Amino acid sequence: MNNVIFQLFQEQIDKNPDKICIYDDNRRLTRAEFHSLIDTIGVKIPKESQKVGIVMEHSVEMIAAIFAVLKSGRTYVPVEPFFPQDRIAFMMQDAGVDVVLTMGSHVEKLGDLPYLVIEREMDIENVKMECAANPETLAYVLYTSGSTGKPKGVSVRNENVCHYIRAFRNEFHPLEEDIMLQYSVCSFDIFVEEVFTTLCSGATLAIPSEETKKDIHKLMQYVEEKQITMVSGFPYLLLEMNSLPKIPSSLRLLISGGDVLRAAYITNLVNQVEIYNTYGPSETTVCASYYRCNDVEPLADGTYPVGKGVLGTSIEILDEHLSPVADGEIGEICILGGGVSSGYIGDRRKENEAFVKRQDGSVLYRSGDLGYFLPDGNIAFLHRMDTQVMILGKRVEPVEVESVLFGCPEIKAACVRPYTDEQNLSYMVAYIVLNQENASLSTLKKEMARFLPTFMIPEFFVQMKSLPLNANGKVDYALLPLVMKEGAVS
């Protein structure tokens, strides 16, 4: 069984080197041309580098840079250029990045980090690079919000990604005629689904401009014009599409992941196109389960089940002692199989306790999510066991936001609480006690923005004279004022 990402792509090159496999607004490349671009970039990466940062705008060159890292047997660490400079620096240093592949316009974001500039429409050279990866080579380190107050990097191997490519093929049967929209940010694992399942299965990847992605009408026009057949995204993307008079006729598949999918989000879509609800933490490589939403009734709470384990994955519902609960009882969703990753990079012993090695040698990942088995064997997801939330599909630990707040000179005391709006989308409220009366909110937000991306900065700030405490001296959350928010996708 082939468990090296680049070799799966090589199989597609061998089948039909002249088939267009990727394009953006600047260039269209066949598989053979894209392979040559990969080698052109790959030979430029310093030989001593093992971990390579990717801080680039989404483009054909960015995807080629990722494949160049993978083919050379190295590990890529992706970060969006719009992330705060301090956050980029932390991730690169924490992962032990040796060099960053970037574009000239983003060099200033890298500080003292060594870098190699890769520009759009770069010339393709006549060079060759051997594939040096193996199944156990780390493919990427993907950073998520951390419960210790700092982002944590999930280490995913080549064999984990190849496992998911096979699972995707088994369920969705991508063909050479299929075109996948590249919509997700690179720091979320929907990006992994878009890129690798597409290029390693013979389909084509279409990369729209950032301007197009920001406007749902322009995005759908792009989908129609390019005859895109598959779109994967967060539930709020489907919610936006649901409000449109019609969707592009080319679409055959919508995949929702990263957050709870509610029936109200797809009332107009469900009779037009095949829709799947998916579930899976980054720690288990993209998706661990699938559920087809067409021709079925949602659960009583208006949500859809998350389905059954994908090919090569098993899911158990366990109690706190890791024993199976009775059918229909609530427990922790625990995942086994080919997608379970190598855990968190660096000194993350406490967090790596979520990866449990069993006597048979298999590794079980404790998701921290609660759920239960339905009578038909599908899984219903309930909520987190802790305070972690999804903000517009992106994982956020309120404790990390609190940690950054406490580092601001204006703050004497603070706590951050998550809530849900009328459409059951999460938002955060920061309750703050200031060191000085004349401190401004704009200054405080600028301080936070040095380390936190925009989606991690609370939508609301409530100034308090003091935080209410319980008998144990901890913040009494029940006594905090509730800030209500209307349901709307921003």
Side-chain angles (χ1 to χ4, degrees):
M1 186 180 293
N2 199 332
N3 277 318
V4 175
I5 297 168
F6 183 80
Q7 289 177 356
L8 289 183
F9 178 57
Q10 182 69 59
E11 291 175 3
Q12 302 305 321
I13 300 172
D14 295 340
K15 287 179 183 176
N16 187 355
D18 298 325
K19 165 80 165 53
I20 294 292
C21 73
I22 187 169
Y23 59 81
D24 58 20
D25 288 350
N26 293 304
R27 72 195 312 177
R28 296 167 59 89
L29 296 183
T30 65
R31 293 169 184 167
E33 291 168 335
F34 186 59
H35 186 191
S36 295
L37 180 58
I38 290 167
D39 284 352
T40 299
I41 296 172
V43 298
K44 298 179 189 298
I45 301 173
K47 287 190 171 83
E48 66 276 7
S49 302
Q50 291 302 310
K51 292 192 175 66
V52 181
I54 303 289
V55 183
M56 300 176 67
E57 294 164 18
H58 291 228
S59 59
V60 168
E61 291 75 20
M62 178 221 200
I63 307 301
I66 288 172
F67 269 85
V69 173
L70 293 170
K71 184 178 180 182
S72 64
R74 299 176 172 98
T75 305
Y76 77 90
V77 184
V79 184
E80 292 291 343
F82 61 77
F83 272 31
Q85 183 173 342
D86 288 358
R87 194 174 186 84
I88 293 174
F90 173 84
M91 292 176 178
M92 297 296 142
Q93 291 162 7
D94 186 66
V97 162
D98 302 299
V99 66
V100 179
L101 303 187
T102 190
M103 294 170 166
S105 55
H106 305 308
V107 166
E108 61 184 22
K109 276 281 191 100
L110 303 180
D112 296 329
L113 292 167
Y115 62 85
L116 175 66
V117 172
I118 306 294
E119 294 292 13
R120 286 179 181 268
E121 298 184 83
M122 66 182 293
D123 291 336
I124 297 176
E125 301 171 10
N126 185 23
V127 294
K128 297 294 181 185
M129 178 178 64
E130 295 299 318
C131 182
N134 64 61
E136 294 185 356
T137 303
L138 285 186
Y140 59 81
V141 177
L142 200 64
Y143 275 83
T144 66
S145 185
S147 58
T148 61
K150 295 287 186 183
K152 61 190 181 205
V154 181
S155 303
V156 178
R157 303 181 301 276
N158 266 257
E159 60 188 350
N160 296 139
V161 179
C162 291
H163 147 84
Y164 187 66
I165 292 169
R166 287 190 293 273
F168 187 95
R169 289 175 178 175
N170 182 67
E171 189 72 33
F172 302 120
H173 311 292
L175 303 171
E176 283 204 347
E177 296 76 28
D178 276 311
I179 304 174
M180 171 72 85
L181 180 72
Q182 201 289 283
Y183 177 80
S184 174
V185 295
C186 66
S187 51
F188 197 75
D189 57 7
I190 288 179
F191 177 89
V192 173
E193 179 172 76
E194 293 169 342
V195 172
F196 298 119
T197 66
T198 298
L199 295 178
C200 294
S201 299
T204 300
L205 188 68
I207 310 170
S209 67
E210 291 303 312
E211 179 185 359
T212 297
K213 288 197 284 188
K214 288 177 182 176
D215 185 301
I216 189 64
H217 299 285
K218 289 181 180 178
L219 182 65
M220 290 300 104
Q221 182 180 353
Y222 180 90
V223 169
E224 186 73 75
E225 288 177 353
K226 303 301 182 183
Q227 289 294 285
I228 288 166
T229 60
M230 299 187 294
V231 172
S232 182
F234 301 127
Y236 63 83
L237 174 61
L238 274 64
L239 178 59
E240 284 190 288
M241 292 175 64
N242 196 56
S243 66
L244 301 175
K246 63 177 182 177
I247 61 171
S249 59
S250 58
L251 279 175
R252 75 167 182 87
L253 176 65
L254 291 178
I255 303 172
S256 175
D259 209 339
V260 174
L261 179 63
R262 299 181 179 278
Y265 296 180
I266 58 172
T267 51
N268 298 323
L269 297 175
V270 73
N271 294 321
Q272 299 184 68
V273 62
E274 195 168 32
I275 300 176
Y276 272 76
N277 186 30
T278 66
Y279 165 83
S282 298
E283 289 83 352
T284 60
T285 314
V286 193
C287 295
S289 66
Y290 294 146
Y291 183 80
R292 188 175 181 274
C293 300
N294 305 81
D295 306 315
V296 295
E297 290 296 321
L299 299 172
D301 64 357
T303 68
Y304 285 100
V306 295
K308 300 176 182 178
V310 303
L311 180 71
T313 296
S314 60
I315 300 178
E316 300 177 3
I317 307 294
L318 306 178
D319 64 19
E320 59 183 351
H321 305 295
L322 298 184
S323 297
V325 301
D327 288 346
E329 287 192 2
I330 296 170
E332 184 177 5
I333 300 174
C334 296
I335 302 162
L336 298 107
V340 177
S341 68
S342 298
Y344 306 112
I345 198 167
D347 185 12
R348 294 280 186 171
R349 281 171 290 182
K350 180 65 177 174
E351 285 148 306
N352 274 321
E353 290 176 2
F355 295 84
V356 180
K357 191 165 186 177
R358 290 186 156 179
Q359 289 185 345
D360 62 2
S362 63
V363 177
L364 173 146
Y365 175 69
R366 303 184 62 173
S367 71
D369 296 326
L370 290 177
Y372 60 94
F373 278 116
L374 296 163
D376 61 4
N378 285 296
I379 295 168
F381 167 86
L382 291 175
H383 53 76
R384 290 288 301 173
M385 296 167 64
D386 54 22
T387 59
Q388 183 190 106
V389 293
M390 302 298 286
I391 303 293
L392 292 180
K394 301 172 181 69
R395 189 189 302 187
V396 178
E397 295 278 5
V399 68
E400 183 183 349
V401 182
E402 282 184 5
S403 178
V404 172
L405 262 177
F406 276 113
C408 298
E410 299 86 358
I411 295 297
K412 181 178 181 181
C415 74
V416 176
R417 296 297 294 161
Y419 299 97
T420 55
D421 65 21
E422 294 170 353
Q423 289 183 336
N424 288 290
L425 296 173
S426 295
Y427 65 98
M428 291 185 294
V429 178
Y431 300 90
I432 56 175
V433 180
L434 298 174
N435 271 322
Q436 55 223 42
E437 288 297 324
N438 60 349
S440 71
L441 180 58
S442 59
T443 301
L444 178 60
K445 284 187 172 182
K446 285 179 183 176
E447 282 287 320
M448 297 179 74
R450 290 178 54 203
F451 195 79
L452 298 177
T454 304
F455 68 87
M456 291 185 70
I457 297 177
E459 285 192 61
F460 304 101
F461 288 75
V462 178
Q463 184 176 347
M464 312 273 289
K465 289 184 178 180
S466 62
L467 297 179
L469 305 178
N470 59 26
N472 296 322
K474 296 182 178 180
V475 176
D476 191 335
Y477 299 131
L479 296 179
L480 292 170
L482 173 62
V483 180
M484 298 178 70
K485 180 191 172 189
E486 286 185 280
V489 176
S490 56

